[in-house]
Amino acid sequence: MRSLTPHAYGYSLHLTLIFFCAGAAHAEYEGLPLHGFADVGAAQSIGSDPSRQRGFNVGNIDFYLTPKFENVRGLIELVFEVDGEGGLATDLERVQIGAPTGDRSVLWFGRWHTPFGRWHTNFHHGAQLQTAINRPRFLDFEDKGGMLPSHSLGLWWTGNQPRGEDHINFSVYLANGNQIATSADEKLLSFNAAGDNNNGKLIGANLAYQWASNLEIGLHAYRDTVETYLNGDTSVLVNRNAVTMAGAFLNYDADAWEVMIEWYHFANDTQKLAVGAPGKEGDHGSDLWFAQAGRRYQKWMPYLRIEQARLDADDAYFNSMDSGQPYKREAAGLRFDWNARTAFKLELTRTHDDPIDQLDTSAGVGTVAAGDKVSYTRLQWQASINF
Amino acid sequence: MKSTILFVVAAVVLAFNASAAEVIVNPGMKISADEIRDIYLGEKTAADGVPLQPLDNTMTQEKFATAILKLPIAKYQVIWTKKAFRDGLTAPTVKNNDAEVIEFVKRTPGALGYIEGAAPSDLVSILKF
């Protein structure tokens, strides 16, 4: 997330004006569809919470447009949020143009949310849409502690095929590969928004069977080559990781119950290219998963979730990222739908961090020894709307 | 006695016809009745390359949602919020009455809607409910 600069503000305003004008030129579509989400809340940490949350906060304001020009469709999502220092940050989350490839499929060009599992592409930044306040931590966005490539830039083909009342849902994608972008004080997964840093591309697929009862079971996988450079200096390559993810998911959303289970297995191959960095050469296996269940009682919905990241400490893909830390978390919460567009939520999470040695880029290439295991509790409240 | 029976039968027939609704489509469209649910839930967005434009009808929406979509209206609206946010789709346009639905379906390739009562002779009805 970048802080709002006059240039960025002008760019986003310019983009908005283009689409308003385009919408006015096609009167049969009755204007430009502009929608959004917003959320505010409060949090209190109990114990050794590294984020030390206390008091009220503003979440996101998320605007999205869905212009449509005959067969072609677009989706633009712009998010404003308050960063850790209290400044306003903005991000052009998605800019997609879609061309139909059949009656039930579309080829998207542009920047989109990587279609692994179901949580990520069902909810995006729409706080009011998702049942819980927090995303599973490993599934969070790259700058929020996520370990997966949330954003991608490239081509995404997706659609469905009917089987009686059931459907087969599919996605195939090709995008710029990722790198781990480091500076003196942070190390984040980056999807290479301005162009790929190498010839390795992110290639992935997602295939699921959805019954008429709304039970969906699927498989997902992707492959990427992720390199870590020292503080943006492409002459200092710290490591190269052949990343392979394969897993499965289950999604069930009916009148009474909502159940989501997702599993991600990583089989990565690390090449260590700089002395002093953590990790070992060779193959490494890690597993990330979560399971969440909620039950609707008219406007009320209690829910429970457990999630875990079991990471191979010698896997340089994980130990090169600030977020690449093993953990386990339990969450219990309650959602109340005030009306169709407003939700209030209360959530209690208990997190157990089990740190591993991490890459240190504060002064050349080094290793920060793992800290102690720590557990902490957080109580959060949120009000969210969609419009 | 005979006249009483005839009266009762006529009343039943009239009551049935009065409550029947129909799905109407723009002439020349090739869609089948079993595709209607998928169209209204955003799973099928075109028919032989012609973009589909389904319409909701305020007067009959609850009946359509129950009989064809098999969903409460609130759930239907949530599905469309997700569809818009995820897939860039636009929810069906809501018309206020049969006349508005008929007028739009007549002039718009790819349009379909539902009305209370019989379809006009120049429009195709593909489903009664």
Side-chain angles (χ1 to χ4, degrees):
Chain A
M1 268 266 175
R2 288 168 297 167
S3 295
L4 194 65
T5 64
H7 178 73
Y9 179 81
Y11 176 78
S12 61
L13 182 62
H14 183 227
L15 197 66
T16 306
L17 287 173
I18 287 172
F19 282 97
F20 271 118
C21 291
H26 295 269
E28 67 269 25
Y29 296 102
E30 299 178 13
L32 184 67
L34 173 66
H35 314 280
F37 296 90
D39 65 279
V40 297
Q44 180 64 49
S45 297
I46 304 163
S48 310
D49 184 348
S51 69
R52 289 199 290 267
Q53 302 210 8
R54 188 185 309 137
F56 299 98
N57 55 66
V58 175
N60 288 324
I61 296 178
D62 181 323
F63 292 108
Y64 69 100
L65 302 101
T66 56
K68 194 173 164 195
F69 309 103
E70 296 181 2
N71 284 5
V72 176
R73 65 175 103 138
L75 197 157
I76 293 126
E77 183 183 5
L78 184 63
V79 173
F80 297 89
E81 69 176 20
V82 176
D83 63 25
E85 283 77 49
L88 180 65
T90 184
D91 208 347
L92 196 56
E93 283 290 326
R94 289 185 285 165
V95 183
Q96 313 174 200
I97 297 173
T101 55
D103 292 348
R104 292 173 176 266
S105 59
V106 61
L107 178 64
W108 290 108
F109 306 81
R111 173 174 169 165
W112 27 269
H113 285 160
T114 317
F116 42 68
R118 275 295 174 259
W119 180 296
H120 190 45
T121 47
N122 274 358
F123 302 129
H124 303 277
H125 289 269
Q128 188 267 350
L129 275 184
Q130 67 189 43
T131 299
I133 292 178
N134 294 291
R135 301 167 66 95
R137 186 166 106 183
F138 69 82
L139 269 188
D140 215 329
F141 297 97
E142 296 94 331
D143 58 348
K144 295 280 184 299
M147 303 181 200
L148 275 66
S150 304
H151 301 90
S152 290
L153 180 60
L155 302 173
W156 171 24
W157 183 48
T158 185
N160 71 82
Q161 282 298 307
R163 287 289 179 271
E165 291 190 348
D166 305 339
H167 293 90
I168 294 173
N169 301 320
F170 66 87
S171 281
V172 180
Y173 49 97
L174 171 72
N176 285 350
N178 290 265
Q179 66 167 298
I180 296 172
T182 70
S183 65
D185 48 23
E186 72 177 6
K187 303 176 292 294
L188 298 176
L189 193 61
S190 164
F191 67 100
N192 286 321
D196 212 335
N197 66 298
N198 58 29
N199 291 327
K201 293 284 175 270
L202 173 70
I203 301 171
N206 183 319
L207 182 68
Y209 194 93
Q210 183 173 14
W211 285 266
S213 62
N214 270 340
L215 172 65
E216 185 183 27
I217 294 177
L219 302 172
H220 55 180
Y222 68 75
R223 189 166 167 77
D224 193 2
T225 302
V226 181
E227 293 172 336
T228 307
Y229 296 97
L230 176 64
N231 300 342
D233 183 352
T234 54
S235 68
V236 184
L237 184 54
V238 179
N239 55 58
R240 178 180 293 123
N241 304 279
V243 175
T244 304
M245 187 286 290
F249 57 90
L250 179 151
N251 191 38
Y252 179 62
D253 186 10
D255 288 343
W257 285 96
E258 178 194 72
V259 178
M260 304 185 76
I261 302 171
E262 296 182 15
W263 168 57
Y264 301 73
H265 176 74
F266 282 83
N268 298 344
D269 179 29
T270 291
Q271 273 185 280
K272 279 186 67 176
L273 299 164
V275 176
K280 288 184 184 158
E281 293 255 326
D283 298 331
H284 307 286
S286 301
D287 292 278
L288 293 74
W289 63 274
F290 78 87
Q292 176 174 304
R295 173 71 160 87
R296 291 183 184 89
Y297 297 94
Q298 297 189 336
K299 288 177 179 276
W300 297 91
M301 185 166 184
Y303 59 90
L304 295 171
R305 184 169 79 225
I306 52 173
E307 57 185 274
Q308 187 175 25
R310 286 187 345 197
L311 309 180
D312 185 326
D314 294 319
D315 187 335
Y317 171 76
F318 290 110
N319 66 35
S320 297
M321 283 190 273
D322 290 331
S323 59
Q325 294 285 9
Y327 77 95
K328 192 173 178 184
R329 175 181 282 176
E330 302 97 28
L334 182 63
R335 176 189 169 115
F336 174 67
D337 285 306
W338 181 270
N339 55 41
R341 296 184 177 275
T342 310
F344 295 98
K345 307 175 200 174
L346 189 67
E347 184 169 298
L348 185 70
T349 56
R350 177 90 178 140
T351 306
H352 314 274
D353 284 337
D354 186 7
I356 56 176
D357 290 352
Q358 282 240 291
L359 178 66
D360 181 9
T361 52
S362 59
V365 176
T367 296
V368 175
D372 295 329
K373 289 185 188 181
V374 61
S375 295
Y376 50 91
T377 304
R378 194 183 295 165
L379 180 65
Q380 290 173 266
W381 169 84
Q382 184 191 73
S384 56
I385 59 173
N386 88 63
F387 50 90
Chain B
M1 178 65 174
K2 211 184 254 183
S3 59
T4 306
I5 293 169
L6 279 170
F7 175 79
V8 169
V9 168
V12 168
V13 168
L14 278 170
F16 177 77
N17 282 335
S19 67
E22 299 190 20
V23 175
I24 54 173
V25 300
N26 181 263
M29 271 178 63
K30 294 184 183 113
I31 60 170
S32 60
D34 57 8
E35 293 178 310
I36 290 171
R37 188 173 190 272
D38 269 6
I39 293 168
Y40 272 85
L41 296 181
E43 301 293 342
K44 182 178 168 79
T45 55
D48 291 336
V50 176
L52 292 168
Q53 295 194 56
L55 303 174
D56 279 317
N57 181 348
T58 305
M59 303 295 290
T60 324
Q61 189 174 26
E62 185 137 6
K63 187 172 177 180
F64 179 77
T66 304
I68 305 301
L69 303 181
K70 299 181 175 54
L71 291 169
I73 289 181
K75 178 89 179 184
Y76 173 60
Q77 289 168 341
V78 170
I79 287 171
W80 271 105
T81 300
K82 289 181 179 175
K83 278 286 180 186
F85 198 39
R86 176 185 171 159
D87 300 328
L89 293 175
T90 306
T93 302
V94 181
K95 297 296 184 185
N96 294 312
N97 51 53
D98 288 2
E100 289 185 8
V101 171
I102 290 168
E103 185 276 333
F104 189 90
V105 170
K106 272 187 187 175
R107 66 173 167 88
T108 309
L112 64 155
Y114 48 89
I115 56 174
E116 191 75 45
S121 56
D122 53 347
L123 284 178
V124 176
S125 166
I126 63 170
L127 180 68
K128 287 184 171 55
F129 62 95

